[in-house]
Amino acid sequence: MDDRILTILIIEDDIAACTELSRYIEKLDTVKLLGITSDTNTGIKMVQSLLPDVVILDIELNHGTGNGLSFLMNLNELDLSTRPYILVTTNNSSNITFESAHNLGADFIMAKYKSDYSAQYVIEFLRMIQHTILNYNHPIMKNLPDENLQKENRQL
């Protein structure tokens, strides 16, 4: 088993959700919270300086600045040696948004509207795959073409 601690950055605008996540993380010795922000530009800077293993990313930042998709686009432009695992959390149920997030590099999407969604569920999911996250060299997603946009342009 891997003894390394899983480091997490949260980009979320819901204060209650941030509080629940941070309180649950505080109880654990295998996970460490590096920071919380509701601003995607700050999130990019924090990824660069803190190099988290995981980013828990809300797609809609209604009370913050930016949105999860723009964060993913900006993350793709960074010159990082490894990419953090991106766990998207969202109340959005649009398949187009889900596919766009995956195309931009989101590793997994959790729907907040599901009955079993909770801070504990999110963190326990990450702990379940912790060894793989810590030992997998996430590919850098620089300058990926948006296949859907290309398809749409061809159909016009």
Side-chain angles (χ1 to χ4, degrees), residues 72-91:
L72 291 169
M73 287 178 60
N74 291 332
L75 181 67
N76 290 335
E77 296 301 318
L78 295 181
D79 187 21
L80 299 173
S81 58
T82 60
R83 179 184 176 88
Y85 181 88
I86 307 295
L87 173 62
V88 168
T89 61
T90 185
N91 278 309

Side-chain angles (χ1 to χ4, degrees), residues 32-140:
K32 178 182 179 184
L33 180 60
L34 297 179
I36 300 174
T37 184
S38 63
D39 177 275
T40 56
N41 291 327
T42 301
I44 288 293
K45 291 175 186 170
M46 292 172 83
V47 166
Q48 289 176 298
S49 64
L50 301 173
L51 302 173
D53 299 311
V54 173
V55 174
I56 299 174
L57 176 65
D58 186 14
I59 289 286
E60 301 93 1
L61 296 169
N62 300 318
H63 303 290
T65 306
N67 64 68
L69 297 179
S70 65
F71 172 84
L72 291 169
M73 287 178 60
N74 291 332
L75 181 67
N76 290 335
E77 296 301 318
L78 295 181
D79 187 21
L80 299 173
S81 58
T82 60
R83 179 184 176 88
Y85 181 88
I86 307 295
L87 173 62
V88 168
T89 61
T90 185
N91 278 309
N92 187 312
S93 62
S94 164
N95 287 333
I96 292 172
T97 302
F98 285 10
E99 187 172 338
S100 296
H102 279 296
N103 286 341
L104 290 169
D107 292 294
F108 196 83
I109 299 174
M110 280 190 181
K112 293 179 180 180
Y113 53 83
K114 299 273 184 163
S115 61
D116 60 348
Y117 181 87
S118 68
Q120 180 176 347
Y121 183 79
V122 171
I123 301 305
E124 288 305 318
F125 171 81
L126 292 170
R127 291 181 70 205
M128 187 172 28
I129 62 172
Q130 179 171 348
H131 176 77
T132 303
I133 291 171
L134 291 172
N135 291 291
Y136 181 76
N137 187 6
H138 301 286
I140 304 304

